[in-house]
């Protein structure tokens, strides 16, 4: 069951972000903000300017407009002034809903002043939502002045975190204004630019932080050169923070008039951001899911899955940035999280499986390969351990065999023989490992070990280690024999031969099956010395003259003279090992 469920988990983790892309809108909002910050401010439109009702224009010492709101006649005079000097258009980012607080004459003056330019004047309407107790009141506030054909909605689309993102699009306008009698105003930026409302989001290409765009304070309008207004589209609106018309953008808080400037500039310059069509978006998400499933499926190991996952995540990030530069909003968070989550789950499962396999192989290998050799393999990590070949080395070879065991084993039950051999090898192999020797192989009831490969601590140190191991083998065998006798079994007897010399150490076998071992005359001499223990029954441990010379006065031996050994052309000096000499205390 688990084997069937596990593959589904990473596939589900990969597909889920693509099925629910809107879940990650917060991440998309943050990424878009970061993209604006990364790009930085862009150049302002040369034919677009804001006349700002700033703090200075509200200062009685600099201007005599009076307290805000100013009479509509005063606002009309400012608009008429720039239109008279050649301005192409005036857009009021001020909603003149309801009668003027300064009386009917103020409204009449506003209309009379601007009527000559009514085709060039754009007035604002506003969409207002207010909570009154548990009830929500929605209002569409239209301009009080009549006879002006161009009226636009001054609202903007915010994300769920209160950041301005777009000019209201077709579906949003229909939802907002469906309860009001037509005609319904189009967004102010569309009306001013003469463009149509689109079906996708009209994302605003923000120009920069507060103060980046050209703002002429209202109190300075009369002081500007006459030709500075020729051909200009002029936005009249509040910019003073004290008036409260501040909106949150990717560049921080800016006035509503500056946001309108960015929206109108985008419409005039053909800049902005749009979502792909619904069908195209679904097709993109399906294609990305297929790519993710195909690519991650090919990762047979955790490392390759991680690399593939990070590569796909980086590709999604790059595609999101590129699309943003081309004016298209992609659900970047979903596209990036899909391979990241899917790859993380798959790599985690693979890593756990590989860890179990490594632990299993380590356990198996540690019982089939000498710990000394295995430690060297793991430490070096070299490919030489998987290749045929060897190198010349100097080492001590230890060879041990049971005496008279062949006849005894022929009459034993296989399971009893197997258990006895395991107990015997457990007793005699432990000293080799304790002295950091290399357990080479078990051959029937024989054991072969080396001291000095694959690493040599010094010939003399390796020789002493080999002797200590041989003596410990004898001691362990004595303890085992006592146990066997208590169980009513016959004791075991062994012979041990040790020789020091040059060998070839390395991997022997075929490309399909390797065995790390040593070969050479040194191995043969050690084996023959072990065989001589049958002749010298009082000396179960025999060492060669070469080893005796290397050990010096550290060992106590009996000189058994030179002996001819089978397969060796010249006599071998043989010594019976008694033990190690105790160091002299001074």
């Amino acid at each position: 069951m688990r084997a069937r469920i596990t593959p589904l988990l990473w596939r589900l983790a990969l597909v889920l972000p693509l099925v629910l892309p809107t879940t990650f809108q917060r991440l998309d909002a943050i990424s878009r903000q970061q993209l604006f910050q990364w790009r930085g401010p862009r150049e302002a439109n040369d034919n677009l300017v804001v006349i700002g009702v700033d703090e200075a224009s509200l200062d009685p010492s600099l201007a005599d407009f009076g307290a805000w709101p100013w009479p509509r006649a005063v606002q009309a005079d400012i608009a008429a002034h720039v239109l008279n000097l050649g301005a192409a258009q005036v857009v009021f980012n001020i909603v003149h809903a309801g009668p003027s607080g300064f009386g009917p004459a103020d409204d009449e003056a506003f209309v009379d002043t601007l009527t000559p330019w009514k085709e060039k004047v754009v007035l604002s309407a506003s969409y207002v939502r207010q909570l009154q107790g548990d009830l929500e009141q929605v209002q569409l506030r239209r301009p009080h002045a009549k006879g002006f054909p161009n009226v636009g909605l001054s609202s903007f689309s915010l994300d769920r975190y209160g950041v301005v993102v777009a000019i209201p699009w077709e579906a949003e306008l229909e939802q907002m204004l469906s309860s009001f009698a037509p005609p319904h105003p189009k967004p102010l930026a569309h009306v001013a630019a003469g463009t149509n409302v689109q079906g996708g989001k009209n994302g605003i290409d923000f120009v920069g932080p507060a103060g980046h765009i050209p703002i002429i304070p209202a109190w300075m309008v009369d002081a500007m050169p006459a030709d500075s207004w020729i051909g200009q589209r002029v936005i009249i609106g509040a910019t003073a923070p004290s008036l409260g018309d501040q909106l949150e953008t990717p560049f921080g808080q800016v006035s509503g008039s500056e946001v309108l400037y960015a929206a109108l500039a985008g419409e005039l310059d053909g800049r902005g951001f749009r979502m792909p069509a619904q069908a195209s978006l679904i097709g993109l998400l399906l294609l990305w899911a297929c790519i993710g499933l195909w690519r991650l499926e090919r990762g047979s190991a955790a490392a390759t899955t991680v690399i593939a996952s990070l590569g796909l995540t980086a590709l999604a990030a790059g595609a999101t940035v590129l699309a943003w530069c081309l004016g298209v909003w992609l659900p970047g968070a979903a596209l990036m999280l899909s391979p990241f989550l899917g790859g993380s789950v798959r790599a985690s499962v693979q890593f756990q499986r590989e860890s179990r396999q490594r632990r299993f192989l380590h356990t198996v290998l540690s019982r089939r390969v000498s710990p000394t050799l295995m430690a060297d393999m793991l430490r070096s990590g070299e490919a030489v351990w998987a290749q045929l070949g060897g190198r010349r080395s100097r080492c001590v070879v230890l060879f041990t065999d049971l005496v008279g065991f062949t006849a005894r084993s022929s009459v034993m039950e296989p399971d009893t023989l197997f258990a006895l051999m395991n107990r015997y090898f457990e007793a005699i192999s432990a000293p080799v490992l304790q002295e950091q020797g290399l357990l080479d192989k078990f051959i029937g009831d024989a054991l072969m070990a080396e001291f000095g490969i694959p690493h040599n601590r010094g010939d003399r140190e390796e020789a002493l280690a080999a002797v200590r191991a041989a003596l410990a083998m004898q001691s362990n065998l004595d303890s085992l024999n006592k146990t066997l006798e208590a169980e009513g079994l016959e004791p075991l007897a062994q012979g041990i031969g040790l020789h020091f010399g040059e060998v070839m150490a390395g991997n022997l076998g075929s490309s399909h099956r390797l065995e790390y071992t040593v070969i050479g005359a040194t191995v043969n001499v050690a084996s023959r010395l072990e065989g001589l223990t049958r002749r010298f029954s009082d000396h179960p441990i025999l060492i060669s003259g070469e080893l005796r010379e290397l050990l010096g006065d550290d060992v106590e031996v009996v000189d058994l003279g030179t002996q001819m050994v089978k397969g060796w052309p010249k006599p071998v000096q043989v010594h019976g090992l008694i033990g190690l000499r105790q160091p002299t205390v001074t």
Side-chain angles (χ1 to χ4, degrees):
M1 178 64 72
R2 183 177 179 181
R4 293 195 299 268
I5 293 177
T6 299
L8 294 176
L9 289 178
W10 74 265
R11 291 182 174 90
L12 180 61
L14 182 140
V15 172
L16 193 60
L18 302 178
V19 175
L20 304 171
T22 56
T23 306
F24 309 102
Q25 287 181 350
R26 177 57 173 167
L27 294 177
D28 284 328
I30 294 174
S31 63
R32 285 196 292 267
Q33 182 173 348
Q34 292 300 317
L35 286 171
F36 276 111
Q37 296 287 341
W38 165 70
R39 186 207 67 186
R42 66 175 178 84
E43 292 184 2
N45 187 298
D46 293 335
N47 298 316
L48 191 59
V49 67
V50 173
I51 294 178
V53 182
D54 61 352
E55 301 291 355
S57 300
L58 299 175
D59 188 346
S61 64
L62 295 176
D64 57 358
F65 295 128
W68 186 259
W70 300 334
R72 292 174 183 175
V74 171
Q75 300 175 40
D77 287 341
I78 295 174
H81 176 77
V82 299
L83 288 167
N84 190 49
L85 293 178
Q89 186 182 60
V90 169
V91 181
F92 279 96
N93 192 36
I94 303 169
V95 179
H96 301 134
S100 170
F102 294 91
D106 187 41
D107 284 320
E108 292 175 5
F110 180 89
V111 173
D112 292 343
T113 301
L114 295 179
T115 294
W117 297 283
K118 63 181 179 179
E119 297 294 336
K120 295 183 177 183
V121 174
V122 182
L123 301 183
S124 290
S126 65
Y127 175 81
V128 181
R129 300 172 63 181
Q130 293 178 325
L131 285 176
Q132 294 184 346
D134 295 332
L135 298 177
E136 182 181 59
Q137 184 179 16
V138 180
Q139 293 180 324
L140 177 61
R141 296 178 177 176
R142 304 176 189 265
H144 182 70
K146 306 301 180 183
F148 291 88
N150 300 315
V151 177
L153 189 67
S154 62
S155 301
F156 295 101
S157 298
L158 312 180
D159 63 21
R160 65 176 63 183
Y161 311 103
V163 179
V164 178
V165 292
I167 304 169
W169 62 100
E170 192 173 49
E172 187 178 20
L173 284 173
E174 183 177 350
Q175 182 181 4
M176 291 168 57
L177 305 178
S178 60
S179 60
F180 299 101
H184 295 154
K186 296 193 301 183
L188 194 56
H190 284 300
V191 175
T195 55
N196 294 321
V197 180
Q198 302 295 324
K201 282 188 177 181
N202 300 296
I204 299 173
D205 188 3
F206 294 94
V207 179
H212 176 70
I213 66 172
I215 298 178
I216 299 174
W219 70 276
M220 291 184 60
V221 170
D222 290 340
M224 296 293 294
D227 59 356
S228 60
W229 303 104
I230 297 176
Q232 294 290 313
R233 294 175 186 265
V234 181
I235 297 172
I236 300 177
T239 58
S242 62
L243 297 180
D245 186 23
Q246 300 292 304
L247 300 174
E248 194 67 41
T249 74
F251 288 106
Q253 283 195 345
V254 302
S255 67
S257 296
E258 290 173 279
V259 173
L260 177 59
Y261 179 101
L264 180 53
E267 289 298 308
L268 294 172
D269 299 338
R271 302 175 64 132
F273 302 94
R274 298 182 57 76
M275 289 284 290
Q278 188 72 12
S280 300
L281 182 59
I282 293 174
L284 172 65
L285 295 176
L286 286 174
L287 175 63
W288 189 241
C290 293
I291 293 174
L293 290 169
W294 167 74
R295 189 64 188 87
L296 294 180
E297 187 76 58
R298 298 181 62 189
S300 58
T304 54
T305 298
V306 168
I307 293 173
S309 173
L310 294 178
L312 290 174
T313 303
L315 178 62
T320 301
V321 173
L322 178 61
W324 184 85
C325 293
L326 297 175
V328 178
W329 279 342
L330 293 179
L335 294 175
M336 288 184 283
L337 283 173
S338 171
F340 182 79
L341 293 178
S344 297
V345 173
R346 178 166 168 76
S348 176
V349 172
Q350 289 176 314
F351 179 78
Q352 291 177 12
R353 184 179 67 244
E354 291 166 6
S355 296
R356 290 194 300 270
Q357 292 174 343
R358 281 193 295 269
R359 287 194 298 269
F360 171 74
L361 292 175
H362 187 280
T363 301
V364 172
L365 192 60
S366 65
R367 284 165 170 76
R368 295 179 177 269
V369 177
S370 172
T372 304
L373 183 60
M374 186 171 179
D376 192 70
M377 291 178 179
L378 296 176
R379 181 170 56 249
S380 65
E382 297 177 1
V384 67
W385 294 108
Q387 298 173 353
L388 290 170
R391 58 186 177 88
R392 292 182 179 272
S393 302
R394 289 159 58 89
C395 71
V396 179
V397 177
L398 181 151
F399 213 97
T400 179
D401 196 3
L402 286 174
V403 178
F405 192 72
T406 302
R408 180 177 175 178
S409 62
S410 64
V411 297
M412 295 180 66
E413 292 295 329
D415 55 344
T416 305
L417 174 63
F418 207 81
L420 179 60
M421 293 305 301
N422 280 334
R423 295 170 70 183
Y424 167 68
F425 282 131
E426 182 72 25
I428 67 171
S429 62
V432 177
L433 300 179
Q434 290 170 0
E435 294 296 338
Q436 300 181 42
L438 175 65
L439 279 173
D440 192 313
K441 59 174 65 71
F442 299 100
I443 312 168
D445 58 349
L447 178 147
M448 178 178 166
E450 292 88 44
F451 296 82
I453 58 169
H455 293 290
N456 194 302
R457 295 167 290 180
D459 292 345
R460 184 178 177 80
E461 179 61 33
E462 298 295 352
L464 287 170
V467 169
R468 288 193 298 267
L471 293 171
M473 283 182 177
Q474 283 286 296
S475 177
N476 288 357
L477 182 59
D478 291 342
S479 298
L480 175 60
N481 282 334
K482 292 178 182 179
T483 303
L484 294 177
E485 290 174 354
E487 296 173 359
L489 300 175
E490 294 183 17
L492 302 172
Q494 71 174 169
I496 302 175
L498 297 102
H499 179 51
F500 172 78
E502 188 176 80
V503 297
M504 281 294 293
N507 293 316
L508 191 65
S510 71
S511 59
H512 304 289
R513 174 71 168 84
L514 299 177
E515 180 181 15
Y516 188 88
T517 189
V518 298
I519 61 174
T522 300
V523 178
N524 294 332
V525 172
S527 176
R528 300 308 179 209
L529 288 173
E530 185 278 324
L532 282 177
T533 59
R534 311 300 190 275
R535 187 188 307 174
F536 301 101
S537 58
D538 292 336
H539 300 286
I541 304 176
L542 298 181
I543 66 174
S544 65
E546 289 81 358
L547 183 58
R548 169 69 180 82
E549 184 178 347
L550 189 60
L551 292 167
D553 296 332
D554 289 333
V555 293
E556 184 177 353
V557 298
V558 174
D559 189 347
L560 300 177
T562 58
Q563 305 291 331
M564 293 299 297
V565 296
K566 184 179 178 181
W568 195 247
K570 57 182 180 180
V572 176
Q573 180 66 46
V574 180
H575 299 272
L577 179 64
I578 297 176
L580 288 168
R581 296 184 187 276
Q582 296 296 325
T584 303
V585 180
T586 58

